[in-house]
Amino acid sequence: MMAPPLVLATPLLLALLSLPSAAHGHGAGRWTSAHATFYGGADASGTMGGACGYGDLYSQGYGTATTALSAALFGGGLSCGACFELRCAGEPRWCLPGSVVVTATNLCPPNHALPGNAGGWCNPPLRHFDLSQPAFLRIARYRAGVVPVSYRRVACRRRGGIRFTINGHSYFNLVLVSNVGGAGDVRAVAVKGLRTRWQAMSRNWGQNWQSGALLDRQVLSFRVTASDRRSVVSNNVAPAGWAFGQTFTGGQFT
């Protein structure tokens, strides 16, 4: 029987968590100014894949409420999975009332051939959100194209547990960690086999984490630590007969 997920602090991992985070526990962060555009088409099909490695955002549970981040916000992939609340600001002709909450799933690459105020929206050090079109239309009119926004970090609300998709091969286990609630952005992952101790995994790219250990034919447990330094342990989440390409669901931040 699967042991219940355990939420705990992990002081031994603090050295891995030295990068600053915009998360403020479960509460919302302060409002900050930025700009927003949109991409991906009316059905957001053009937002699939992306630099976080989530692949099909529909099947992963993110839907169309997603955004690509400029490099200043993306943090080399550390912000993947983080949630932001945005509202249009200061443009009455183009802004719509209300706000939208989106998940970071991609990188908006810089365009150094264009200035930051005329097409190079994602050039460093600019803070910019390239929203899915459906998300953009929640806060602004289509014809606006680009609008000033205010944004803040908020807690991520997810359905079900954290998902672990195991790819790779023997001695190269590449695990995609997705559907993470709470802070949303993962800063450390560890794996434990039936015959091994806890082993830290290294981030390969986006939210894909790798281990060079031989874990075949072992029951696997995972420990996920988010940017707010809280952890969730999912014990015995993958059975001994797991196979590459399969996805397993564990515990969740509450």
Side-chain angles (χ1 to χ4, degrees):
M1 179 179 296
M2 182 183 299
L6 177 64
V7 180
L8 72 165
T10 55
L12 294 178
L13 290 175
L14 295 185
L16 298 175
L17 305 174
S18 58
L19 289 172
S21 169
H24 293 258
H26 293 292
R30 62 183 179 86
W31 290 99
T32 305
S33 297
H35 284 81
T37 49
F38 64 88
Y39 78 117
D43 61 355
S45 59
T47 65
M48 300 299 112
C52 291
Y54 293 133
D56 188 333
L57 300 178
Y58 298 147
S59 63
Q60 291 287 5
Y62 298 113
T64 63
T66 62
T67 187
L69 301 178
S70 63
L73 293 171
F74 192 66
L78 288 176
S79 292
C80 289
C83 293
F84 299 85
E85 182 181 10
L86 282 77
R87 60 190 183 192
C88 190
E91 287 287 350
R93 184 171 61 151
W94 303 119
C95 290
L96 298 175
S99 64
V100 64
V101 175
V102 291
T103 300
T105 60
N106 202 358
L107 168 68
C108 179
N111 184 350
H112 297 295
L114 297 174
N117 62 352
W121 311 114
C122 292
N123 292 349
L126 299 178
R127 295 171 178 262
H128 189 88
F129 294 83
D130 200 15
L131 300 167
S132 71
Q133 183 174 321
F136 183 88
L137 295 180
R138 293 275 303 277
I139 60 171
R141 303 186 190 281
Y142 179 90
R143 292 182 60 188
V146 57
V147 293
V149 296
S150 295
Y151 76 92
R152 63 180 178 176
R153 280 288 299 271
V154 295
C156 298
R157 309 296 180 188
R158 305 293 184 214
R159 293 183 179 180
I162 299 172
R163 297 173 187 167
F164 304 92
T165 302
I166 307 175
N167 295 304
H169 52 77
S170 299
Y171 295 104
F172 181 69
N173 308 279
L174 191 65
V175 179
L176 171 64
V177 181
S178 61
N179 201 51
V180 181
D185 49 347
V186 176
R187 291 292 171 86
V189 178
V191 62
K192 181 181 182 298
L194 187 63
R195 298 186 297 275
T196 69
R197 297 181 178 180
W198 283 106
Q199 303 175 42
M201 305 182 76
S202 59
R203 194 170 64 88
N204 186 292
W205 66 281
Q207 285 299 349
N208 285 281
W209 296 77
Q210 71 179 63
S211 168
L214 181 62
L215 300 174
D216 299 14
R217 296 182 295 279
Q218 296 187 59
V219 175
L220 300 182
S221 301
F222 292 97
R223 182 175 63 220
V224 174
T225 304
S227 63
D228 60 0
R229 295 183 170 89
R230 297 195 316 134
S231 295
V232 166
V233 174
S234 299
N235 288 307
N236 306 326
V237 68
W242 64 266
F244 292 106
Q246 290 184 316
T247 298
F248 304 95
T249 302
Q252 184 59 275
F253 292 96
T254 57

